[in-house]
Amino acid sequence: MKKEELQAIASQLKNPTGEKGIEMANMMHETNINMTRHSVQNLNIADGNKILEIGHGNAGHLEYVLQQASDLQYYGLELSELMFKEAQQINQKFVTQKQAHFSLYDGNIIPFQDVSFDKIFTVNTIYFWEDPEKMLSEIYRILLQKGIFCVTFAEESFMKQLPFTQYEFELYDTKKAEKLVEKTLFKIVNKETLIEKVKTKTGELVDRAFTTLVLVK
């Protein structure tokens, strides 16, 4: 593939737009569903929790999140206007019932008050954070005391095999992610790396290693 095509893929993964963006979102939902579930499972969601997801894509997994306990409130934050609209459309039922609330943000400042959420999670967004330390301190700020934050990402060993990740992506392995967290007030209480089979664009099955770090305020 040409450099321009690879850059276009990287850009769509960071901020999906247009027709291609909708295709990309559907593909991301399918390929990331195990990672998303792993992140959610590690949150230990309890009845009445207020949950924030950063970078939810089309939020095709929202029903799964809301099945974890009763009386949950879900908030979703997105950079992509297209994903913000798609997520609302796909989850119209939960939006109408006021169980789900979607917002746009600039990728840096989280538009919520201090100590607002019991649980926060994000899947495959860490690569795109402009200022990772600042992002983590923003997440820390809006989390309740003893609140849990799960960050899930595909390991660098896998990601660097994908030619488009040389553009727009900052790749992480577990050690590098832990070093980043050590610069903040978060405590790492658990980490788990799993290997799953995923389909490449050509239909081959390959092993993908991904990690969830469980952080507590």
Side-chain angles (χ1 to χ4, degrees), residues 87-128:
Q88 288 183 93
Q89 199 178 319
I90 288 170
N91 297 290
Q92 191 57 56
K93 177 176 79 172
F94 301 119
V95 173
T96 306
Q97 291 166 356
K98 298 203 170 4
Q99 270 185 292
H101 318 265
F102 294 100
S103 314
L104 281 163
Y105 83 127
D106 66 358
N108 294 304
I109 306 295
I110 297 179
F112 292 110
Q113 292 182 331
D114 296 2
V115 291
S116 293
F117 295 95
D118 300 283
K119 310 284 160 70
I120 302 174
F121 72 108
T122 192
V123 179
N124 284 338
T125 67
I126 190 172
Y127 329 111
F128 305 121

Side-chain angles (χ1 to χ4, degrees), residues 1-216:
M1 282 175 107
K2 293 196 188 79
K3 181 184 170 183
E4 290 78 17
E5 290 174 292
L6 295 172
Q7 283 175 319
I9 292 171
S11 182
Q12 281 288 10
L13 286 166
K14 181 181 181 179
N15 186 355
T17 54
E19 279 302 308
K20 275 270 185 287
I22 292 173
E23 277 171 42
M24 190 67 85
N26 291 332
M27 189 199 79
M28 282 196 286
H29 168 68
E30 282 168 34
T31 54
N32 294 339
I33 193 64
N34 286 338
M35 293 178 73
T36 303
R37 286 180 173 165
H38 193 252
S39 213
V40 169
Q41 284 156 11
N42 276 285
L43 287 172
N44 292 327
I45 292 170
D47 292 351
N49 274 180
K50 195 172 167 188
I51 301 155
L52 172 67
E53 180 177 10
I54 299 167
H56 49 70
N58 69 11
H61 51 272
L62 177 54
E63 189 160 6
Y64 175 78
V65 177
L66 294 174
Q67 283 166 352
Q68 301 304 305
S70 60
D71 195 25
L72 299 177
Q73 285 285 315
Y74 170 97
Y75 288 76
L77 262 191
E78 255 299 338
L79 271 174
S80 160
E81 198 164 330
L82 178 69
M83 291 303 96
F84 166 67
K85 288 177 179 160
E86 275 287 286
Q88 288 183 93
Q89 199 178 319
I90 288 170
N91 297 290
Q92 191 57 56
K93 177 176 79 172
F94 301 119
V95 173
T96 306
Q97 291 166 356
K98 298 203 170 4
Q99 270 185 292
H101 318 265
F102 294 100
S103 314
L104 281 163
Y105 83 127
D106 66 358
N108 294 304
I109 306 295
I110 297 179
F112 292 110
Q113 292 182 331
D114 296 2
V115 291
S116 293
F117 295 95
D118 300 283
K119 310 284 160 70
I120 302 174
F121 72 108
T122 192
V123 179
N124 284 338
T125 67
I126 190 172
Y127 329 111
F128 305 121
W129 293 354
E130 282 173 31
D131 186 338
E133 250 184 276
K134 189 172 179 226
M135 189 63 175
L136 282 176
S137 63
E138 272 290 278
I139 292 163
Y140 190 90
R141 174 183 69 76
I142 61 168
L143 197 57
L144 285 147
Q145 205 58 42
K146 302 253 189 304
I148 297 173
F149 169 50
C150 286
V151 55
T152 302
F153 57 93
E155 287 278 335
E156 182 175 14
S157 56
F158 170 79
M159 293 295 280
K160 68 183 182 196
Q161 297 169 47
L162 308 173
F164 53 80
T165 60
Q166 62 190 298
Y167 306 105
E168 309 238 18
F169 283 73
E170 175 72 39
L171 301 182
Y172 284 82
D173 59 15
T174 304
K175 266 202 175 62
K176 182 174 169 181
E178 286 177 298
K179 280 208 173 88
L180 169 63
V181 174
E182 280 163 16
K183 295 177 184 171
T184 72
L185 295 166
F186 274 115
K187 287 183 188 68
I188 300 172
V189 291
N190 194 17
K191 59 180 177 186
E192 190 176 12
T193 300
L194 298 182
I195 292 172
E196 62 172 345
K197 296 263 184 225
V198 288
K199 257 191 190 157
T200 63
K201 285 202 169 55
T202 53
E204 292 169 272
L205 281 177
V206 293
D207 285 341
R208 170 167 72 176
F210 71 85
T211 298
T212 296
L213 293 184
V214 185
L215 315 182
V216 166

